[in-house]
Amino acid sequence: MPVNYSTPAASQLHPVAGVRLGVAEAGIRKKDRRDLTLIALDEGARAAGVFTKNRFCAAPVTLCRQHLAAGSDIRALVINTGIANAGTGAPGMAAAEATCHGVAETLGIAPRQVLPFSTGVILELLPAERVLAGLAACQADLKADGWHAAAHAIMTTDTVAKAASRRVQIGGQRVTITGISKGAGMIRPNMATMLGFVATDAGIAPALLNSLVKEAADHSFNAITVDGDTSTNDSFILIATGKSGVEVSDAGDARWPALKAAVIEVARELAQAIVRDGEGATKFITIAVEGGRTIEECRQVAYAIGHSPLVKTAFFASDPNLGRIQAAVGYAGIEDLDVAGSRIWLASNGEEALVSEHGGRAAGYTEETGSRIMQAAEITVRVHLGRGEAQATVWTCDLSYDYVKINADYRS
């Protein structure tokens, strides 16, 4: 079960004017499950995205990059689960291209205006004929309030669908932001192994939209980790339809800070939901590193802690073997770190304990305190490096027996 997270009700996911979503059972890998999603965008919508840095990126990722490079006037997204269409060479690219042509023909748009996404098993070719056969049902199902169904249809090993929605006042006008994401395992920033789609009815100029999708990713999907694995299909797309009447053309617009903050808030909620639903997760862990010289070195330390299987298994067992955290800080790669100047705290349920200072165990720390704090479902590790003013936060989870079971049986 996810850690303190449940899927919002359909009524809590506000429609975004200019966006319609439809789902279907296409039998892509398993029968009797919704595994194909079509998102149709009204003319005038703009889109921007960031994608995995894995060199074995999937065919749909390559096509998305090409289509976005050709223009932001995207009119449709198509998402399949079950098969990632990654590591499939020329046949995989042909299948992704056929999918785009099928969507274009269905909706009467150009193939370059279609963004394809796949998630599931790597090294298996996407059965394009099944996708194409399912498009008519997706089109018939298109509706503005289809976010809840789409959140379920893009799941793989997720135990719950992930969605978030906000309505905010921007310059006296109401703006809607709604998004969905999927991901539970093979999670590692750059992007994290996930799919994320966020739409707003605000109008955002293409240059600003490209900047915002990257900034939003850095504060959300690029600040989570479950197991340190970077997938081949990771994608985060931000859509601005302009239907609200709010149009922001430059960063100097007084409405921009509030709009940007609202988009980042939705993206962060979706990203944290992925960690809360991490495969086999029982605890949600915030790693806050401060006192660094740069944000980059703070993140470097946070990820060293968040990726350590020894740290993560200790949290699963509520075992205050916290020298493992100290060791992770030490091997994070800051060669001139003064360990005597660093400090480590552990906190939960309003209680915070200083664990390490002056290079060793804090005088007032006891194992009983550490064990009590670690038994909570939500825990914070705070590290002060004692060398500057920079800070960064990463969210992760523990590593349990079930993580091994889920991934050992993934293809069965």
Side-chain angles (χ1 to χ4, degrees):
M1 295 293 293
V3 181
N4 295 335
Y5 182 81
S6 58
T7 308
S11 60
Q12 295 175 297
L13 301 177
H14 306 300
V16 176
V19 180
R20 294 174 298 142
L21 308 92
V23 304
E25 295 180 7
I28 291 170
R29 189 163 180 271
K30 295 182 178 180
K31 295 181 179 180
D32 302 320
R33 67 148 295 169
R34 294 171 291 183
D35 56 4
L36 185 63
T37 302
L38 180 64
I39 303 177
L41 310 178
D42 285 0
E43 188 173 2
R46 297 167 182 148
V50 288
F51 303 92
T52 181
K53 293 185 179 180
N54 192 309
R55 293 297 298 162
F56 273 100
C57 68
V61 169
T62 298
L63 270 188
C64 280
R65 286 175 170 148
Q66 292 175 359
H67 291 181
L68 284 170
S72 65
D73 58 331
I74 301 301
R75 296 292 307 282
L77 289 70
V78 59
I79 310 138
N80 77 268
T81 66
I83 294 179
N85 197 20
T88 48
M93 183 60 70
E97 289 173 341
T99 297
C100 291
H101 281 272
V103 172
E105 188 173 319
T106 299
L107 298 180
I109 58 178
R112 73 157 189 84
Q113 293 180 297
V114 180
L115 299 181
F117 304 89
S118 297
T119 182
V121 180
I122 298 170
L123 278 180
E124 290 191 15
L125 180 64
L126 178 69
E129 69 282 357
R130 297 180 194 172
V131 175
L132 298 177
L135 289 176
C138 283
Q139 183 187 29
D141 190 52
L142 286 173
K143 50 185 177 289
D145 61 352
W147 289 97
H148 191 263
H152 286 82
I154 66 173
M155 294 167 57
T156 50
T157 60
D158 310 60
T159 66
V160 293
K162 301 163 181 71
S165 193
R166 298 284 188 283
R167 277 181 172 161
V168 295
Q169 292 294 315
I170 305 289
Q173 293 176 274
R174 190 176 73 177
V175 168
T176 300
I177 305 162
T178 298
I180 57 177
S181 66
K182 63 78 50 183
M186 205 175 178
I187 299 289
R188 166 67 169 95
N190 245 349
M191 294 283 295
T193 180
M194 46 70 65
L195 298 179
F197 308 98
V198 173
T200 177
D201 55 8
I204 303 175
L208 274 185
L209 195 65
N210 278 311
S211 172
L212 179 55
V213 74
K214 293 171 185 174
E215 186 172 354
D218 283 343
H219 286 86
S220 59
F221 298 111
N222 276 340
I224 61 174
T225 180
V226 169
D227 52 18
D229 262 336
T230 297
S231 179
T232 53
N233 294 58
D234 313 328
S235 307
F236 171 42
I237 300 297
L238 180 59
I239 298 159
T241 69
K243 297 290 186 178
S244 69
V246 173
E247 179 71 35
V248 180
S249 57
D250 65 76
D253 191 311
R255 299 168 296 180
W256 179 237
L259 178 57
K260 179 171 69 171
V263 169
I264 291 174
E265 182 181 354
V266 169
R268 185 181 292 123
E269 183 175 338
L270 292 172
Q272 290 187 1
I274 289 174
V275 173
R276 293 180 183 280
D277 191 32
E279 289 172 344
T282 68
K283 297 177 181 178
F284 178 83
I285 303 164
T286 299
I287 304 172
V289 179
E290 56 195 41
R293 289 181 185 166
T294 65
I295 292 174
E296 289 71 24
E297 75 174 20
C298 290
R299 285 182 174 170
Q300 192 174 332
V301 171
Y303 285 133
I305 298 169
H307 291 156
S308 167
L310 291 178
V311 170
K312 293 161 79 70
T313 51
F315 275 108
F316 171 64
S318 300
D319 175 16
N321 190 355
L322 300 180
R324 294 176 175 182
I325 297 177
Q326 190 181 65
V329 174
Y331 67 58
I334 303 177
E335 295 185 0
D336 61 342
L337 176 66
D338 178 8
V339 296
S342 66
R343 288 169 289 168
I344 301 172
W345 292 263
L346 199 63
S348 70
N349 295 328
E351 178 182 10
E352 184 176 67
L354 178 63
V355 174
S356 171
E357 62 178 342
H358 309 307
R361 180 193 290 255
Y365 171 74
T366 66
E367 293 236 339
E368 291 77 13
T369 298
S371 179
R372 181 175 62 253
I373 291 174
M374 291 179 75
Q375 288 176 31
E378 303 211 16
I379 305 164
T380 296
V381 176
R382 186 162 67 92
V383 179
H384 197 292
L385 298 177
R387 48 194 275 119
E389 301 298 324
Q391 57 185 0
T393 300
V394 166
W395 299 282
T396 189
C397 59
D398 58 341
L399 190 62
S400 72
Y401 307 123
D402 284 342
Y403 177 86
V404 176
K405 295 176 184 176
I406 291 167
N407 283 281
D409 296 336
Y410 180 61
R411 295 203 308 165
S412 57

